[in-house]
Every structure is written in structure tokens, then in C-alpha cells.
Amino acid sequence: MATINTHYRKLSAGYLFPEISRRAKAYQESHPGVTLHRLGIGNTTEPLPPAVLGALHHKVDLLGNGATYTGYGDEQGDTPLREALSGYYRSLGVDMLPDEFFVSDGAKSDAANIQSIFGDDNVVAIQDPAYPVYVDSNVVSGRTELFDKEKQQYGKLVYLAGSQENGFFPAPPREKVDLIYLCSPNNPTGAVATHAQLQSFVDYARAHKAIIIFDAAYAEYIGDSSLPRTIFEIPGARECAIEINSFSKFAGFTGVRLGWTIVPKELQAENTKSGELHAMWFRRQVTFFNGASNIAQAGGIAVLGEEGLAQSRAIIAYYMENARIIREGLRSVGLTVFGGDNAPYLWVRTPDGISSWEFFDQLLNQCQVIATPGSGFGAAGEGFIRVSAFGHRENVLKAVESIRKNLRLRKEETR
Ligand SMILES: *Cc1c(COP(=O)(O)O)cnc(C)c1O
């Protein structure tokens, strides 16, 4: 008889986005003809820029010609792309070798798969609130106990809570942990770690031989040049950190699919030989993955070229202008807003002490605006909602206008 991986039964219901759709649909059905304003999604909306589009078209043409057709490429990703990535990191002030990059079909799969090279007995720490894949991949691989509905937490996981007091970026744990997932700029809070904050995690990791898995998917949204765009800006990180990144939010590749993971040669865990973890991830990828689409990789090379970078950054600036419009609009009605200055997410405190879902319903019913309840990202997200700056400008303006006109707060919030 076949048996199943029963750890899957521990997963708390994937409740957030289906529940948002259910409530939006119910509202729409009872208010036909009313337009909903969606500020909930973490999905890009603006078209690919010309330099990238040209490269994608050109690669398709090469595939259509017998003289230039290519099949499987290098396992780790096409060499010109890995060289371009290495050059991009050099422009951030960091030297990473082309063969420390592993090109993938996106950051989410790498974030889910990376745990497979670590032992089942590792104690895992994650930020709370967090992008769900870090937790869920460790749940199904058996590194947690059951989900405690009361606490809204899995047993055995170490939660590092973000709060207003710590600027939504927690300090390292007091107890000893082995794997630490960090995301900066953060989804959902929009918080960005400083050099000092990341240094404290690197120091912790080196002291405890822990490994940091650093998700930098929103690094290009950092406008403040004093903030780190990669964990490898931090001295000592090459021994203790893996970085996961993506072209999804960087260049609108959410549907095209392309990402990368950096495993430095010096990375060490308990009793590993020099280069062993790098070799293990190589082995994992060549065994279970046959490479990212060669069309997508041609697009990625174009993103990292001079024109592609400038055009992609212009689109990021457009989203960040959306973020500014949303922030000012929400503040003008008395809401308390965090994030949104170096990340495309705003983290908004619910007014009048109501819950995340109550504020979701209030925004839906009074303003026809859809946001994302913070509690869906973890217990520490309760009392907040996430507002996304992805969207066409005209829709963002309409959403903000509707909030300004229609939101009724019980009491004036402190700003
Ligand atoms: C969107 C997002 C990603 C990107 O995932 P892809 O699979 O590359 O599309 C990664 N991490 C976080 C935190 C994200 O929000």
C-alpha cells in the first residue's frame, strides 16, 4: 500500500488568497456593476521594456532556425547570464564568481528547495510575518511540529517577530537555531534591513555555525543607497549565507520565470568540507532540474545590459511612485503607514484596534478596495494589512481617491 508524506497534513489551510477571492466575489455578486480596486496582489502589471522584449523575440527567432537552434544549456544556467549576474553584483560592490550563481525558474522554487540540502534535525527560524514558502517547505519536510491554531504557529519553528519597535526587522534569536530565513526588502512589511541589522545576523550565524537564507527579490526597489542590496555586502556573509533572487519583481518576469541563487564556495555548515555545500546544491540542481528556459535566460541577459537595466529601473520607479501616492493618501485620512519607501509594499496598521480581516472588510465595503490581511502572513501580522504598489497608475489613483472619500474611521489615528 502506498503511504503519503503525512507532514502535508500539518499545513494550515492555504486560507489567505482563496478567502480574499471568496469575500471579493460575494461583495461583487451583491453589488453588481460596482468596480473593485485591487491593491492586494504582489504581481507586476506593467509591460516588459523594449530592450528585454527585443532579446526575447530574437531568441525565439534563433530557435526557429536550424543553424542557430539550441536545446539543453549549461546545467547551472547559461554562462553569459551567470557572467552578467557576476557583473551586476560587481556594480553593487560585491565580487561573486559566475559559477557561484545557479540560474533557476524563479525564487519561489529555490526558496522551497534549498532546505533539501540540510538535515532534518535543523532548527529553523523565520521572520514573522513572512512570505509563506519558507515555513511551508520546512513543514512538509518534517522540521516542525503541528500547527497550533491558538498561537497561529507551528511547534519547533522559531518565530522572529517584526514589530513597530524593531522597525519590522527582528534581532537574531536568543536560542541556538541552524537555518534562518530573512527577506529584505520584506514581503509583506516593506521593511529593509540596515547593514548593522544584517551584520548582527551574520555574526550570530558565524558564532553558531548557522546558515542564513536571504531572499533579496525586491533588492532593486531600494532607493536609499545606504541600505544593503545583497547580504554579501556584509563582511563574513560568504561563509554563512545563501542568497535567493529573481527577475520577477526586478524586471516584470513574474510570468516569464527566471531567478538565481548564490551559494558561495566558502559556505560552511557543521563538519562540511570546503566547497561541499556549493557542490551539493550543484548536485541537487543537475539531478532534479533541467535548467531555466533559454528564452527567459536571453531576456535576463538583456535586463542586465545597460539599456535593459535603465528601462527596468524606470518601471520600478513607476511602481515606487504608486507607493508614494498610496502612502500619502492613506496618511491623509489618518492611517499609520510603514514601508513603501524602499519596497513596493505598504504595511498599514488597522485603525481603531480592529483585526486585519475586519479592516479588510471595512475597506471592501466602504471603499471597494481590496488589500491583504496581515494576519495571513503570520501571527505577528495581526493588526495590519498589506497594500501593494503594483498596478496601473489610473487604478491606484482611483483606489486612493475612494479611500479618501469613503473610509470612515471611528477616531483620529495618531500619525
Ligand atoms: C514575488 C516574490 C518572489 C519571487 O518569486 P519568483 O518565483 O521568482 O516569481 C520571491 N520572494 C518573495 C518574498 C516574493 O515576494
Side-chain angles (χ1 to χ4, degrees):
M1 201 196 311
T3 62
I4 60 166
N5 174 357
T6 53
H7 297 307
Y8 270 81
R9 291 187 176 145
K10 292 182 191 164
L11 288 172
S12 66
Y15 167 75
L16 180 63
F17 289 99
E19 181 62 15
I20 291 172
S21 304
R22 195 189 66 75
R23 292 189 192 202
K25 200 159 156 249
Y27 182 87
Q28 193 76 81
E29 276 164 10
S30 55
H31 300 80
V34 170
T35 312
L36 293 180
H37 309 292
R38 294 178 191 274
L39 293 180
I41 45 160
N43 200 353
T44 48
T45 56
E46 299 312 298
L48 296 170
V52 177
L53 211 54
L56 293 170
H57 281 149
H58 178 63
K59 183 66 186 179
V60 171
D61 289 339
L62 293 178
L63 293 175
N65 181 333
T68 51
Y69 171 84
T70 50
Y72 291 126
D74 297 345
E75 280 114 349
Q76 256 186 276
D78 292 342
T79 303
L81 176 56
R82 286 185 290 110
E83 283 170 349
L85 282 166
S86 176
Y88 168 70
Y89 274 75
R90 210 171 308 118
S91 76
L92 303 179
V94 164
D95 279 318
M96 307 305 296
L97 299 169
D99 69 353
E100 292 177 310
F101 290 84
F102 295 83
V103 174
S104 71
D105 62 354
K108 190 173 188 176
S109 13
D110 284 355
N113 293 330
I114 196 75
Q115 49 75 31
S116 70
I117 62 172
F118 297 102
D120 293 343
D121 51 351
N122 281 292
V123 175
V124 177
I126 46 126
Q127 282 174 275
D128 182 11
Y131 185 58
V133 69
Y134 320 135
V135 172
D136 289 355
S137 59
N138 280 290
V139 171
V140 300
S141 54
R143 292 192 192 86
T144 74
E145 291 161 3
L146 296 178
F147 188 68
D148 181 334
K149 286 222 172 74
E150 196 75 11
K151 289 190 187 161
Q152 290 285 305
Q153 293 187 338
Y154 289 94
K156 212 182 151 196
L157 276 189
V158 175
Y159 290 87
L160 309 175
S163 61
Q164 189 176 344
E165 291 68 46
N166 58 27
F168 301 97
F169 201 88
R174 283 202 202 96
E175 64 267 60
K176 185 184 175 323
V177 301
D178 308 303
L179 298 177
I180 304 168
Y181 289 79
L182 296 177
C183 177
S184 173
N186 192 265
N187 179 7
T189 66
V192 185
T194 62
H195 279 90
Q197 284 172 319
L198 288 189
Q199 186 72 61
S200 69
F201 274 93
V202 167
D203 292 345
Y204 173 96
R206 293 174 77 196
H208 294 91
K209 282 207 183 158
I211 287 181
I212 298 165
I213 296 159
F214 188 74
D215 185 338
Y218 297 95
E220 275 289 329
Y221 288 75
I222 297 176
D224 177 346
S225 58
S226 74
L227 294 168
R229 292 197 171 88
T230 159
I231 195 163
F232 298 115
E233 286 184 42
I234 310 302
R238 296 180 60 97
E239 281 167 42
C240 65
I242 290 171
E243 181 161 301
I244 296 175
N245 208 325
S246 168
F247 288 95
S248 282
K249 316 301 169 19
F250 181 169
F253 274 39
T254 39
V256 177
R257 311 303 307 142
L258 193 67
W260 69 90
T261 284
I262 302 172
V263 183
K265 299 262 174 79
E266 294 99 310
L267 184 70
Q268 283 178 23
E270 190 74 43
N271 298 327
T272 49
K273 296 195 277 290
S274 162
E276 190 171 359
L277 276 160
H278 177 273
M280 280 175 74
W281 186 244
F282 182 85
R283 180 61 204 252
R284 193 271 166 211
Q285 290 300 78
V286 301
T287 308
F288 294 145
F289 182 61
N290 252 343
S293 152
N294 50 14
I295 301 168
Q297 294 191 68
I301 294 169
V303 169
L304 299 171
E306 202 176 319
E307 257 188 310
L309 263 183
Q311 293 170 0
S312 300
R313 285 173 174 162
I315 295 170
I316 289 173
Y318 175 93
Y319 292 133
M320 291 308 292
E321 175 63 9
N322 285 348
R324 192 193 62 75
I325 291 166
I326 297 167
R327 183 172 56 240
E328 295 200 345
L330 298 185
R331 283 193 178 151
S332 76
V333 300
L335 290 166
T336 305
V337 183
F338 303 96
D341 37 13
N342 291 285
Y345 297 115
L346 299 101
W347 193 236
V348 182
R349 191 194 293 134
T350 61
D352 305 318
I354 63 178
S355 75
S356 296
W357 277 110
E358 284 170 325
F359 191 42
F360 173 90
D361 285 336
Q362 186 179 354
L363 284 171
L364 178 59
N365 292 315
Q366 290 182 350
C367 315
Q368 294 73 51
V369 166
I370 300 177
T372 310
S375 54
F377 297 98
E382 182 55 272
F384 293 89
I385 56 154
R386 187 192 76 174
V387 178
S388 160
F390 293 116
H392 300 316
R393 179 69 41 79
E394 62 270 27
N395 297 341
V396 167
L397 288 168
K398 281 185 202 146
V400 169
E401 187 53 28
S402 179
I403 292 172
R404 274 182 194 269
K405 277 218 316 251
N406 302 316
L407 186 68
R408 300 275 167 270
L409 301 185
R410 267 178 264 153
K411 59 171 193 281
E412 181 78 354
E413 284 279 295
T414 48
R415 294 181 196 186

